[in-house]
Amino acid sequence: MPRNSAPSFSELIAGCHRSAIHLEMRDVYGVASEAEDFAEWKACGTITATSVERRRPWLDLVRETVGRGVAMRRARIVSTPVSEYIRYEHAGTYLNAEAGESVRWLPRRLASDLALPGNDLWLFDDRLIRFGHFTGDGASAGHEMCDDPAVIKLCGAAFEAVWERAVPHERFTV
């Protein structure tokens, strides 16, 4: 059943023992914590050393999590040609991969026959979902927790269907 109070991501990942999967389905995110990096990337066309340092807490968390045996996988469904934001995400994804996160990309036109949840999500150990809610312009609108077994099964199956079709990051071009 959905719950509106959401533990922090750090708490959720700390309690994770086997897998943490992330399904992203938007072409634009307007998350405040990325605004400076995105603007910097738009200005110079590359991920800078400053941007890498800003991402260090996330990259360290991925390394630590993967280091204790948790498989972290991210699947992104994207429209093609991709948006400027997706080009930015793609440019920095090598850092996620170097930290141990597996990332794949699925062109949206190849997802037409897949049953997908209505929101981005993280699924922890096939037991708990954290849905991400966003406004129309991509700003975060909060999170919602769900531990309903039927919803977990649906979302897990949707992620696996996307993962199976998606292109590994190192082979996906924008």
Side-chain angles (χ1 to χ4, degrees):
M1 169 165 299
R3 303 192 305 249
N4 287 331
S5 62
S8 73
F9 185 83
S10 296
E11 292 172 301
L12 292 167
I13 203 73
C16 196
H17 301 289
R18 294 180 314 281
S19 67
I21 59 176
H22 189 188
L23 181 59
E24 295 180 351
M25 299 180 287
R26 296 182 57 90
D27 288 321
V28 176
Y29 292 89
V31 180
S33 63
E34 294 178 341
E36 195 172 354
D37 280 350
F38 187 37
E40 189 174 85
W41 175 84
K42 287 194 297 187
C44 65
T46 189
I47 300 298
T48 66
T50 303
S51 179
V52 173
E53 284 310 308
R54 281 189 209 106
R55 296 169 189 225
R56 183 78 46 217
W58 171 254
L59 300 171
D60 289 346
L61 180 63
V62 171
R63 280 187 190 90
E64 185 276 326
T65 302
V66 171
R68 53 185 178 84
V70 176
M72 291 185 75
R73 296 184 295 155
R74 180 186 308 250
R76 292 176 169 143
I77 300 173
V78 296
S79 299
T80 54
V82 299
S83 67
E84 183 177 44
Y85 181 86
I86 295 300
R87 286 196 317 275
Y88 155 73
E89 272 196 331
H90 188 269
T93 297
Y94 78 95
L95 295 164
N96 298 59
E98 286 176 356
E101 185 178 7
S102 297
V103 180
R104 292 187 181 182
W105 303 80
L106 182 64
R108 191 172 312 281
R109 63 183 163 67
L110 300 179
S112 296
D113 61 340
L114 298 178
L116 298 169
N119 294 291
D120 288 9
L121 62 92
W122 277 92
L123 174 56
F124 303 96
D125 288 337
D126 294 319
R127 66 174 176 75
L128 184 63
I129 295 172
R130 180 183 178 206
F131 287 110
H133 298 293
F134 296 90
T135 65
D137 63 2
S140 177
H143 300 95
E144 180 180 353
M145 303 304 298
C146 179
D147 58 5
D148 182 316
V151 176
I152 289 169
K153 182 177 179 179
L154 179 136
C155 291
F159 179 89
E160 294 303 334
V162 170
W163 188 259
E164 184 178 304
R165 289 185 186 182
V167 177
H169 172 70
E170 53 280 356
R171 291 197 336 247
F172 187 76
T173 57
V174 296

